[in-house]
Amino acid sequence: MAEPVSVAAEYLAGSRARAARTVLGQVVLPGEELLLPEQEDAEGPGGAGERPLSLNAGARSRVRVVCGPGLRRCGDRLLVTKCGRLRHKEPGSGSGGGVYWVDSQQKRYVPVKGDHVIGIVTAKSGDIFKVDVGGSEPASLSYLSFEGATKRNRPNVQVGDLIYGQFVVANKDMEPEMVCIDSCGRANGMGVIGQDGLLFKVTLGLIRKLLAPDCEIIQEVGKLYPLEIVFGMNGRIWVKAKTIQQTLILANILEACEHMTSDQRKQIFSRLAES
Amino acid sequence: MVTQSVRSARCRAEVIIAAARGVGAMEEEMHTDAKIRAEIGTGCSPRGPGCSLRHFACEQNLLSRPDGSASFLQGDTSVLAGVYGPAEVKVSKEIFNKATLEVILRPKIGLPGVAEKSRERLIRNTCEAVVLGTLHPRTSITVVLQVVSDAGSLLACCLNAACMALVDAGVPMRALFCGVTCALDSDGTLVLDPTSKQEKEARAVLTFALDSVERKLLMSSTKGLYSDSELQQCLAAAQAASQHVFRFYRESLQRRYSKS
């Protein structure tokens, strides 16, 4: 019968792998497979999508594509593991097929090497501090990882202090380790965050949006009041203004930014600037 | 004689835009006909000429504390799900190479009993097959389900709510999954997504969990008397119905991401 065949075709329609190029910017769901474009020759980006297998299979060179968050390699395809929009970044220079990743909205942070985060010191045991960064395990921070710290000259860190640092070890198998110096031994803005101010939590997507190069929100907020602000990639923001009221207003604006359109935001800013 | 008729499905999507809170809510009414009909003359179900899935709706990110949350409605059955994870795990419960998945199901009234424990186990086995636990060893992923109202096909509704909540939390998964319930009554008529009255009067009630990639069977829980061929027919009907559920998932998630 023809009808069951058409239904069977409809079943499989959802599971056919699509080319990654055609899905850029669209919402992808876990379980989808994406095909990568393969380039015929080594010189220049000549690839124009997938080509059928040529008789001279040895001449085809593979392009090195980086699989970012939300994607896993399975065979020579990409398997989507998180729901979100598929993004692609062209390689800046040289070879490689660029980076593909899925832009998803999440609240829970998973430590990644190189990320700058805000942590709260929860325990001091011997030579290391245990810092809560919002992940599944507290990160460890050695007392020597501060600028100018020596065995005699210990940093002044108490339980409950806020620390801004970066991860040097962060993978699924080991306990995350963070430091407050960069590779040259300088603090570069990291270390214990000062007195007062307010720490609050937002989603990871909002942090990435605020830290994007041309974010208008930060420029507008800066024109409003003089302030100090620290963004942690683990979804935590620390903000400090002259008075407590201003600090609270800034915290509320940043939390609400996620759900507002840019017009609503401009309205609120103009209303605040008047008052 | 049993005849199998397959007609193309019509669906009408009604989109309700929630307040500017970034919450995606979707409602969709489905009429799907991929059924076995053995009756002569007697009307099928009070829903209409063909058997259909009940009206369903889903809302995501409605709770502020869990990392992911979802509420799934199927007709009058409603389940609220919250997901926490990957989070800290007690040393006694940690598994060295993958995440510890825990499911807690709370009934609407009373304390959780043995029936809830067995449903928790079924849901946990389904989730473990789909969640990529090896990416987060020595962590725990907890799914908490609260039954808000029970009007039939509860286990399927719990599975759907759990899947939507896991997606909302950003837990890595290798596929989506959905639950579909079938009831077989005494003369062999198949009803999809039965109400509690239909479930009580049925000869057999079968619940299947299917994955989104190839509609493969992840879990089946059956109660009652049925033959081998009836099982195959129910499975085929559930697979056909699941594509509508997955299409609803896709539209609901697209709606959510289109706001940003």
Side-chain angles (χ1 to χ4, degrees):
Chain A
M1 291 210 310
E3 288 179 338
V5 172
S6 65
V7 171
E10 222 180 304
Y11 285 179
L12 298 174
S15 58
R16 229 185 294 131
R18 299 186 276 177
R21 286 254 167 93
T22 60
V23 197
L24 281 181
Q26 291 177 30
V27 175
V28 288
L29 298 182
E32 287 186 13
E33 287 197 349
L34 302 172
L35 297 167
L36 291 169
E38 303 212 38
Q39 295 188 356
E40 287 282 279
D41 24 57
E43 66 263 352
E50 301 82 61
R51 296 176 186 210
L53 281 175
S54 60
L55 290 173
N56 197 3
R60 200 178 38 172
S61 65
R62 290 179 174 269
V63 183
R64 194 165 152 262
V65 161
V66 178
C67 231
L71 294 171
R72 306 254 320 148
R73 193 174 67 88
C74 77
D76 55 352
R77 297 178 176 187
L78 293 177
L79 174 72
V80 179
T81 58
K82 291 193 191 178
C83 175
R85 287 195 184 271
L86 187 68
R87 306 274 187 218
H88 175 60
K89 185 173 152 199
E90 293 293 333
S93 57
S95 64
V99 193
Y100 284 95
W101 76 94
V102 176
D103 224 347
S104 62
Q105 292 171 358
Q106 246 182 277
K107 287 194 209 171
R108 170 70 63 164
Y109 177 68
V110 172
V112 170
K113 183 174 168 182
D115 262 3
H116 292 253
V117 295
I118 298 179
I120 305 173
V121 178
T122 52
K124 239 175 21 171
S125 63
D127 291 338
I128 54 169
F129 304 111
K130 285 282 180 219
V131 180
D132 162 45
V133 290
S136 61
E137 270 185 297
S140 73
L141 171 65
S142 162
Y143 77 97
L144 289 171
S145 321
F146 289 85
E147 185 175 12
T150 60
K151 288 200 184 145
R152 302 265 175 90
N153 180 17
R154 288 174 175 249
N156 184 15
V157 176
Q158 307 304 324
V159 171
D161 279 352
L162 294 178
I163 301 271
Y164 182 64
Q166 63 175 340
F167 285 115
V168 290
V169 171
N171 54 49
K172 61 184 170 87
D173 299 310
M174 295 167 65
E175 178 196 46
E177 291 174 26
M178 59 188 284
V179 293
C180 291
I181 49 174
D182 61 10
S183 47
C184 304
R186 286 192 290 259
N188 207 10
M190 296 187 272
V192 181
I193 294 178
Q195 295 292 314
D196 306 329
L198 178 69
L199 178 78
F200 57 97
K201 203 165 178 329
V202 294
T203 61
L204 307 186
L206 179 65
I207 295 278
R208 289 196 299 261
K209 188 164 114 183
L210 292 171
L211 285 175
D214 318 306
C215 183
E216 324 165 310
I217 306 176
I218 296 305
Q219 291 163 6
E220 289 171 20
V221 163
K223 285 186 215 147
L224 209 57
Y225 306 121
L227 78 159
E228 269 181 73
I229 194 164
V230 180
F231 293 103
M233 294 296 289
N234 52 345
R236 294 180 181 169
I237 303 180
W238 177 86
V239 74
K240 179 175 166 183
K242 284 227 181 85
T243 65
I244 295 178
Q245 196 188 29
Q246 289 180 357
T247 310
L248 289 172
I249 291 173
L250 290 167
N252 286 332
I253 291 177
L254 288 170
E255 276 174 339
C257 266
E258 185 153 23
H259 309 298
M260 287 199 289
T261 61
S262 51
D263 298 324
Q264 288 169 320
R265 214 176 47 230
K266 288 191 177 45
Q267 272 178 16
I268 294 193
F269 277 121
S270 51
R271 258 198 300 144
L272 280 169
E274 286 160 28
S275 64
Chain B
M1 291 305 287
V2 171
T3 55
Q4 188 168 3
S5 67
V6 169
R7 277 181 252 154
S8 63
R10 281 174 306 144
C11 56
R12 195 183 64 213
E14 288 170 12
V15 170
I16 296 174
I17 300 174
R21 265 219 62 214
V23 170
M26 267 276 301
E27 292 189 354
E28 200 168 301
E29 208 167 274
M30 317 283 217
H31 295 279
T32 152
D33 319 89
K35 304 317 154 260
I36 320 296
R37 274 207 255 138
E39 88 289 9
I40 313 153
T42 53
C44 191
S45 69
R47 290 176 209 156
C51 301
S52 57
L53 293 174
R54 292 181 284 181
H55 172 105
F56 49 81
C58 167
E59 201 181 326
Q60 288 196 307
N61 202 19
L62 57 162
L63 299 173
S64 59
R65 287 203 157 231
D67 301 323
S69 53
S71 158
F72 205 87
L73 274 90
Q74 271 179 231
D76 286 325
T77 309
S78 166
V79 175
L80 186 60
V83 169
Y84 297 85
E88 261 189 55
V89 66
K90 274 195 260 196
V91 183
S92 56
K93 286 193 197 163
E94 77 175 8
I95 306 177
F96 74 98
N97 61 342
K98 56 184 186 143
T100 310
L101 200 82
E102 236 179 78
V103 176
I104 301 172
L105 174 61
R106 299 228 172 264
K108 183 176 169 195
I109 40 179
L111 290 171
V114 176
E116 278 73 41
K117 268 274 175 294
S118 89
R119 286 201 188 112
E120 282 172 12
R121 173 172 255 250
L122 294 170
I123 299 170
R124 191 182 73 229
N125 288 343
T126 313
C127 293
E128 272 177 359
V130 154
V131 163
L132 289 167
T134 50
L135 290 181
H136 299 288
R138 300 179 337 275
T139 64
S140 80
I141 298 174
T142 310
V143 181
V144 183
L145 297 156
Q146 171 68 55
V147 177
V148 174
S149 65
D150 181 6
S153 348
L154 182 65
L155 185 57
C157 196
C158 290
L159 285 165
N160 294 335
C163 180
M164 286 271 99
L166 284 167
V167 166
D168 188 42
V171 172
M173 303 207 279
R174 61 169 63 86
L176 295 176
F177 61 92
C178 80
V180 184
T181 312
C182 313
L184 283 169
D185 67 8
S186 40
D187 47 343
T189 320
L190 184 112
V191 175
L192 281 182
D193 205 15
T195 59
S196 1
K197 185 160 171 290
Q198 287 167 333
E199 275 182 358
K200 252 186 259 189
E201 295 166 359
R203 157 165 62 92
V205 178
L206 302 92
T207 304
F208 301 109
L210 301 161
D211 91 337
S212 65
V213 177
E214 283 169 33
R215 312 282 182 271
K216 282 198 184 148
L217 186 64
L218 292 170
M219 183 276 294
S220 90
S221 165
T222 64
K223 186 177 81 162
L225 200 65
Y226 52 91
S227 72
D228 188 28
S229 59
E230 281 172 342
L231 172 67
Q232 297 299 328
Q233 286 159 357
C234 288
L235 189 51
Q239 282 175 330
S242 70
Q243 65 175 329
H244 297 288
V245 184
F246 289 130
R247 197 176 336 151
F248 172 68
Y249 281 179
R250 177 178 289 276
E251 286 165 2
S252 172
L253 290 166
Q254 277 174 345
R255 182 92 213 140
R256 176 148 183 247
Y257 280 91
S258 71
K259 288 191 176 271
S260 49

